[in-house]
Amino acid sequence: MPVAFVLVDVELGRLTEVLEKLLEVEEVVEAYSVAGPYSILAKIEASSFDELARIVPGKIHKISGIAKTLTLVAFGTARAFRVDACEEAQELAQQGKLDELYSLCRSCKQLKFCAFGTRVVTFGF
């Protein structure tokens, strides 16, 4: 799953508004206000690099209050990134044991390398 990090420069006084609009974009999985030369850091996930290339100009740049952006395309991590659920998480999901699934994913030491677990912890199942 291709990932990009977008640094967003926001017009004065519009930080909260822009942050909320960014989080409404389906492909924006995380967004944070940050200190420094940019106001917001957003993480985007897409199904392909072509789709990723369309999201920033097609969705992000259309948000009123954004002055400029800088897009950083991620090519990989030092560790393997898991997209599918591990066997134990898959079983809990199939059994509908959502509280146990959340606890499992939340306590997993590999959470930062697992897209499935990150979605469970962030959005629920």
Side-chain angles (χ1 to χ4, degrees):
M1 175 178 301
V3 172
F5 296 92
V6 181
L7 296 167
V8 182
D9 188 16
V10 177
E11 294 172 2
L12 190 61
R14 300 189 73 183
L15 177 68
T16 302
E17 171 192 348
V18 171
L19 193 54
E20 288 173 0
K21 290 292 184 189
L22 275 170
L23 289 168
E24 290 175 8
V25 175
E26 180 181 348
E27 296 85 0
V28 175
V29 295
E30 297 176 59
Y32 303 93
S33 61
V34 295
Y38 288 87
S39 308
I40 297 172
L41 171 66
K43 180 180 178 183
I44 299 173
E45 292 181 354
S47 59
S48 68
F49 283 103
D50 286 338
E51 181 186 353
L52 193 61
R54 285 189 288 273
I55 292 167
V56 175
K59 294 184 178 183
I60 306 299
H61 286 169
K62 291 184 178 181
I63 296 173
S64 180
I66 292 180
K68 67 179 178 177
T69 63
L70 175 65
T71 303
L72 308 166
V73 177
F75 295 116
T77 65
R79 291 187 150 186
F81 191 77
R82 172 183 218 114
V83 176
D84 298 322
C86 65
E87 198 171 301
E88 190 175 355
Q90 211 168 31
E91 272 185 45
L92 291 172
Q94 288 172 348
Q95 295 170 4
K97 297 181 178 180
L98 304 183
D99 289 338
E100 291 177 45
L101 176 62
Y102 175 85
S103 294
L104 172 72
C105 292
R106 186 73 184 115
S107 65
C108 181
K109 293 185 188 292
Q110 298 300 313
L111 179 61
K112 62 183 171 184
F113 303 110
C114 178
F116 178 84
T118 300
R119 279 192 291 277
V120 167
V121 169
T122 305
F123 303 110
F125 182 70

